Amino acid sequence: MSYAGLEFENAHCLAEHEYSLLNEANVATLLTTGNGYMGVRASLEEYGSLGIQGFLVRGVMDEVVEVRLTMCDNMYMKKYYVEEDRLKKFEKQERAINLLDFLLVRFEIGGEVFYPWDGKVILWKRCLRLSDGVLYREVIWENSKGQQTKFCFSRFASFSDDHTYCQHVTAEPLNYSGQIKVLSGLDLRTKSNGQIPQKTIDIQFDGHTVFQEEIAGPKYGFHAASGVYQTFSGHSADWEDVNEDGIVAQRITFEAEQEKVYTLEKLVSVVTSRDTDRELAECIKEYMDKYKDSSYEKEYKKHSKIYKNLFSKLDIVIEGDDTADRAIRFSNYHTLISLERNDYVHSFSAKGLTGEMYNNFVWWDAEIFQAPVFLQTMPEYSKNPLLFRYSHLKEAKELAIKEGYKGARYPFTTGVTGEETVWTDVRHPFMQIHCVSDIGLSVLNYLAATGDNVFMKEYGMEMLLEICRFWVSRVTFNEEKRRYEILQVTGTDEHHPYVDNNAYTNYSVYNVLSATCRLLERYGEEIASVKQKTGFDEKEKEEFARVAELIYLPLNLETGMIPQFDGYFSLSRELEVQGGSKSGYTQMKQAGLYNKSQVIKQPDVLMLFAYQNLDMPDTIYRRNLDYYQGRCEAASSLSYCVHSICFADMDMPESTYGYLMETAEMDLKNMHGGTQDGIHSGCAAGAWMAVARGVAGMKITEDMVSFTPHYIPWWDKVTFHCVWHNLGYQVTLDNSGINITADADNNNILPVKVNGSSYSIKAGETAVHAFAAARLARNT
């Protein structure tokens, strides 16, 4: 299977065997290296082309000019999607800043610079090793004089130190001896959305080190400093400091001998003012001093030990289907490098740190699609996204006041300040207030996965109280129908703004209100300080309970259908196409009048079953799945994992597998045409969920882990590891049954239920549950 010129050589190596300008932008995304703090796109060391190169640090953002072009050539665009008056005022937007290119290693041989588009490439192999997070490249290049040189490049973002990036480069003259020059250091000529907002304020050379400090942009004025410590071995060489035309580097000149290998190592450190209050130059100097006693190999050993341990927690092994096994592992790699483990300056973003698209904003994807994976695999790090939200509770409360409500109204997207950052010329995001309850659901999911009552008492309950306050002030009581309703919203399906009683929103609010009431009962006076801090009145609990009791939960008992919103079923089942622009920045598959149509962008009702485990009879579940899957144009990459989980719940392996593979191969196959702009991070996380929640049927509550396992007939076995309440366990699923093995070092019994049968699994023991068909076959 070839993906954009890439193919899996084995279970852990995604390789490229031919340099391709056609595929270069997509490959730069797919082979990104990162550690959650930084993301480095797979541009070439010899030249980081614009649109290919990218170096992003979580939370380092500023404002740049952003051109928004649209033509409202149908009534839907005019009245329901674009706010033209705000579009006229729109000019600048916050986004992640592409700081610089520290990968620069440029060889000059016989007076000719090595570029793969010049001379002759005799051998080319580039490989992302999922096993250790290293990007490796091997090239044999011939210049116009016939001189052939073998180059080997290795690099990784360290998992042992967020601020360290390591490069190892070798050059071997194959058929000549002669002078070689190497230019190695920093290329400052990087752009963000085609602009250069950053400004260099200091450059220093000291021995074999290069230092640069810059201001990332004028609005926030974040400082970023980079240091490069370089060593060269194999021959004595002349070193020259270079500071010209945006290149801050050192030129190494040496006389090379045929068939002798020469090695350059670069240990790079990056620190920003978002990380520390100290002078950045001091921080970088400490790293440069530390690197004097280190090497690429030493840093690799530290990195690989941590990386391999973390990746093993996330890895899923599928036997009998190499294509699925490798595509899901690739997705899990990108999910891993999207996680910042060591702070909560920022949270998950829609493209991780693999590209500039979506500006590195934090969306509702963070809580609903990305966080659940780590809740069940690395819970020790999963509180950071919630602490990010807690750190911006003040801004959420201010937004609620601004809109005339109480409590905390979290924004649809946010970046540095915790305030709303979504593009002001689009209407629907300002009504997508389900993002508020999504954060509440994430708090509840964290509690279910970890049992961390300390977190709840210090942070979680305060967030929940303010979220519930918002909803109690936001609902409208319908006197005639004696129920609470939520009016004028947009659900997860962004094609339909200005709707009343969106199913996903209403059910989510009910779940958050109900659970918060239960927790208030449980914690009582244990959270007296939280109540005092928030000014919580016990009468408010009664209000929460009353709204939860009377909120309208859409369901037609006669048909078994859940209307996505009021009047949904009165719309046309077809989509009238009118106009042709679709706007330059929408996620619409057609220029349609979506306001008149049942065609939806992505799942809404089905999200309730897949990600909130809505408990309904299978007949209702199946009916809604069949109907809404047929109405969904899947214009969002977040559609496929939802459909896969739902079809798994209905024991439909062909559809389960089809949507699972669309999830895992989304960017490998560039299915939505945007791979060059970055990985679809929420979709990538959905691949893990489609296997664990979908195929294995795993659900977690505060009381236990439960399974309703299904199977893919052509899979021999699937294995993965999870954690619940600090108790680790391995799941092994095949077509005869499911085994759950508790980790040998567990300090408590793991409560599990499989298809209604309960198991209490002691440390090191295994619960074996055979499928009914397998038991029947053995008995006969």
Side-chain angles (χ1 to χ4, degrees):
M1 176 71 71
S2 178
Y3 305 104
L6 303 174
E7 61 183 10
F8 284 100
E9 283 194 344
N10 56 52
H12 292 89
C13 177
L14 181 61
E16 176 187 55
H17 293 280
E18 181 180 1
Y19 174 67
S20 168
L21 286 167
L22 178 65
N23 295 322
E24 189 171 11
N26 288 350
V27 171
T29 292
L30 298 172
L31 304 188
T32 293
T33 49
N35 58 13
Y37 172 80
M38 68 172 80
V40 181
R41 285 169 60 84
S43 57
L44 304 178
E45 285 83 353
E46 55 269 23
Y47 194 86
S49 300
L50 294 178
I52 308 297
Q53 179 275 335
F55 165 52
L56 306 177
V57 172
R58 60 92 187 92
V60 178
M61 311 173 77
D62 214 279
E63 269 191 348
V64 300
V65 172
E66 185 167 329
V67 178
R68 305 275 285 178
L69 298 176
T70 186
M71 180 180 294
C72 296
D73 58 357
N74 68 38
M75 197 59 71
Y76 174 76
M77 295 298 296
K78 191 81 170 179
K79 293 183 65 175
Y80 293 90
Y81 202 93
V82 178
E83 174 49 76
E84 291 185 282
D85 195 51
R86 292 202 296 259
L87 178 60
K88 286 187 174 184
K89 301 172 184 177
F90 181 91
E91 182 180 4
K92 293 184 177 181
Q93 183 67 311
E94 185 178 304
R95 65 167 46 236
I97 301 301
N98 181 12
L99 292 170
L100 48 75
D101 183 3
F102 56 64
L103 296 175
L104 175 64
V105 178
R106 186 174 300 161
F107 286 90
E108 181 181 326
I109 297 164
E112 299 177 31
V113 176
F114 160 56
Y115 296 123
W117 50 86
D118 286 335
K120 181 181 179 181
V121 175
I122 298 172
L123 171 70
W124 179 279
K125 178 181 177 180
R126 186 159 49 153
C127 172
L128 176 64
R129 298 200 307 248
L130 306 179
S131 57
D132 60 4
V134 172
L135 179 60
Y136 171 80
R137 179 166 59 123
E138 182 178 339
V139 183
I140 297 178
W141 178 77
E142 180 179 274
N143 65 10
S144 65
K145 298 180 177 66
Q147 296 171 314
Q148 296 180 1
T149 311
K150 179 180 179 180
F151 302 105
C152 296
F153 302 84
S154 294
R155 68 200 213 205
F156 63 89
S158 175
F159 267 65
S160 65
D161 187 321
D162 277 355
H163 304 277
T164 294
Y165 196 94
C166 302
Q167 295 175 252
H168 183 275
V169 183
T170 64
E172 178 185 358
L174 297 180
N175 64 353
Y176 69 94
S177 296
Q179 187 182 84
I180 294 179
K181 295 181 180 181
V182 190
L183 184 67
S184 178
L186 307 172
D187 186 344
L188 309 184
R189 303 168 300 170
T190 56
K191 292 187 175 183
S192 302
N193 199 36
Q195 299 153 75
I196 307 176
Q198 64 269 36
K199 178 182 178 182
T200 296
I201 60 172
D202 190 14
I203 293 172
Q204 298 176 29
F205 296 93
D206 182 10
H208 295 174
T209 67
V210 180
F211 168 83
Q212 185 260 6
E213 184 172 351
E214 62 188 357
I215 300 174
K219 181 175 181 179
Y220 299 120
F222 296 133
H223 286 225
S226 302
V228 180
Y229 179 78
Q230 308 193 99
T231 59
F232 177 78
S233 61
H235 200 287
S236 60
D238 295 326
W239 292 68
E240 175 190 359
D241 296 338
V242 177
N243 182 6
E244 57 187 29
D245 297 328
I247 301 293
V248 180
Q250 293 176 315
R251 183 175 288 112
I252 307 167
T253 304
F254 61 98
E255 293 297 324
E257 299 176 20
Q258 183 174 336
E259 296 184 344
K260 186 173 181 180
V261 177
Y262 301 88
T263 302
L264 171 70
E265 291 191 359
K266 291 177 66 174
L267 302 183
V268 181
S269 179
V270 179
V271 183
T272 80
S273 57
R274 300 223 68 185
D275 314 325
T276 180
D277 294 328
R278 297 176 57 201
E279 289 293 325
L280 299 188
E282 294 179 6
C283 297
I284 295 298
K285 186 178 185 306
E286 288 181 4
Y287 272 102
M288 297 300 102
D289 290 341
K290 183 183 78 168
Y291 292 157
K292 291 176 183 178
D293 296 322
S294 190
S295 65
Y296 179 94
E297 183 62 26
K298 289 179 180 178
E299 295 297 326
Y300 171 77
K301 287 180 178 179
K302 292 187 291 185
H303 152 78
S304 62
K305 181 179 180 180
I306 296 173
Y307 174 92
K308 290 177 180 180
N309 176 53
L310 293 174
F311 193 70
S312 69
K313 296 181 179 182
L314 202 60
D315 196 19
I316 292 175
V317 178
I318 297 172
E319 298 178 25
D321 186 345
D322 287 347
T323 302
D325 176 71
R326 294 167 183 184
I328 292 167
R329 182 165 297 109
F330 170 81
S331 295
N332 289 339
Y333 165 80
H334 276 284
T335 298
L336 177 61
I337 68 171
S338 73
L339 171 69
E340 172 50 79
R341 292 167 288 126
N342 299 312
D343 62 45
Y344 50 91
V345 168
H346 204 61
S347 184
F348 299 111
S349 55
K351 294 289 185 183
L353 296 169
T354 65
E356 293 183 44
M357 189 69 172
Y358 299 135
N359 299 41
N360 203 221
F361 291 156
V362 180
W363 308 62
W364 64 282
D365 314 19
E367 281 76 30
I368 298 303
F369 288 93
Q370 293 162 282
V373 176
F374 295 103
L375 285 173
Q376 298 170 85
T377 57
M378 305 177 203
E380 63 270 33
Y381 303 121
S382 62
K383 71 173 65 172
N384 284 346
L386 291 175
L387 290 173
F388 169 79
R389 294 296 193 180
Y390 181 84
S391 71
H392 291 299
L393 185 57
K394 173 178 174 289
E395 289 79 15
K397 292 166 70 174
E398 290 172 351
L399 182 55
I401 293 171
K402 180 180 178 181
E403 295 186 355
Y405 302 109
K406 298 178 181 178
R409 195 290 205 202
Y410 280 97
F412 183 64
T413 71
T414 193
V416 171
T417 65
E419 299 171 348
E420 182 65 77
T421 55
V422 76
W423 293 264
T424 58
D425 54 302
V426 185
R427 297 174 186 261
H428 65 78
F430 297 95
M431 292 174 274
Q432 276 187 270
I433 54 176
H434 65 79
C435 62
V436 181
S437 49
D438 290 338
I439 294 169
L441 290 170
S442 191
V443 172
L444 297 171
N445 288 340
Y446 175 81
L447 177 62
T450 66
D452 188 350
N453 290 303
V454 174
F455 172 87
M456 293 300 295
K457 294 171 188 177
E458 292 183 359
Y459 308 104
M461 285 305 297
E462 184 178 351
M463 295 170 71
L464 287 174
L465 292 180
E466 297 294 359
I467 287 168
C468 289
R469 278 175 167 166
F470 169 76
W471 285 115
V472 166
S473 68
R474 180 62 174 79
V475 296
T476 300
F477 189 68
N478 186 322
E479 291 285 354
E480 180 183 349
K481 297 181 178 179
R482 305 300 298 171
R483 69 189 190 193
Y484 285 101
E485 301 179 338
I486 305 176
L487 311 178
Q488 293 295 282
V489 300
T490 306
T492 62
D493 162 34
E494 296 174 354
H495 286 351
H496 292 92
Y498 302 108
V499 302
D500 296 338
N501 293 314
N502 165 253
Y504 179 82
T505 305
N506 284 29
Y507 277 89
S508 300
V509 171
Y510 165 77
N511 287 333
V512 172
L513 286 169
S514 300
T516 302
C517 288
R518 292 194 295 270
L519 291 173
L520 283 167
E521 287 286 344
R522 178 196 302 181
Y523 292 131
E525 288 307 305
E526 294 179 59
I527 57 169
S529 60
V530 176
K531 294 177 181 178
Q532 182 178 11
K533 179 180 179 180
T534 58
F536 180 77
D537 190 315
E538 290 300 324
K539 291 182 180 179
E540 289 186 87
K541 178 187 166 188
E542 297 175 9
E543 290 181 316
F544 296 173
R546 175 175 170 79
V547 174
E549 179 185 4
L550 297 179
I551 194 169
Y552 171 48
L553 300 178
L555 172 64
N556 186 319
L557 293 174
E558 294 182 358
T559 65
M561 294 301 296
I562 300 174
Q564 184 173 299
F565 50 81
D566 291 355
Y568 174 82
F569 290 118
S570 67
L571 299 176
S572 171
R573 283 165 44 85
E574 307 301 323
L575 177 66
E576 179 183 350
V577 176
Q578 189 180 98
S581 74
K582 294 194 293 180
S583 176
Y585 48 79
T586 62
Q587 288 184 323
M588 302 172 194
K589 290 199 170 178
Q590 302 181 74
L593 301 181
Y594 290 95
N595 56 301
K596 296 182 177 182
S597 173
Q598 293 181 20
V599 173
I600 61 177
K601 174 189 173 185
Q602 66 196 86
D604 184 287
V605 170
L606 297 183
M607 283 287 296
L608 298 172
F609 295 99
Y611 277 83
Q612 293 191 42
N613 301 327
L614 179 63
D615 188 14
M616 290 274 183
D618 279 357
T619 52
I620 293 178
Y621 189 169
R622 186 181 297 272
R623 185 168 297 177
N624 281 275
L625 170 58
D626 182 59
Y627 194 86
Y628 282 109
Q629 182 267 341
R631 306 279 75 71
C632 182
E633 70 174 15
S636 167
S637 66
L638 300 175
S639 305
Y640 304 99
C641 56
V642 178
H643 287 153
S644 182
I645 291 169
C646 290
F647 278 112
D649 284 346
M650 291 297 103
D651 272 320
M652 300 174 71
E654 189 68 42
S655 296
T656 299
Y657 183 80
Y659 280 118
L660 168 60
M661 292 308 296
E662 287 184 288
T663 302
E665 295 182 321
M666 168 60 58
D667 290 301
L668 287 168
K669 289 186 173 180
N670 197 16
M671 290 169 51
H672 278 202
T675 296
Q676 71 276 4
D677 298 318
I679 290 290
H680 292 81
S681 296
C683 179
W688 189 94
M689 288 292 289
V691 175
R693 165 64 184 86
V695 177
M698 184 175 70
K699 302 175 184 177
I700 58 171
T701 67
E702 285 190 72
D703 301 320
M704 70 177 67
V705 184
S706 65
F707 294 87
T708 308
H710 317 279
Y711 57 89
I712 307 297
W714 51 94
W715 286 2
D716 294 334
K717 183 164 59 175
V718 57
T719 306
F720 59 93
H721 188 271
C722 289
V723 180
W724 178 86
H725 289 224
N726 291 320
L727 302 173
Y729 58 97
Q730 179 168 289
V731 179
T732 304
L733 175 67
D734 60 26
N735 292 333
S736 64
I738 186 170
N739 296 352
I740 300 99
T741 302
D743 287 359
D745 59 354
N746 283 356
N747 60 8
N748 211 333
I749 291 174
L750 176 69
V752 169
K753 184 174 286 188
V754 183
N755 287 338
S757 298
S758 296
Y759 301 89
S760 297
I761 311 174
K762 297 179 181 179
E765 295 186 354
T766 300
V768 178
H769 184 94
F771 293 148
R775 291 196 296 267
L776 179 62
R778 284 199 294 268
N779 290 335
T780 56

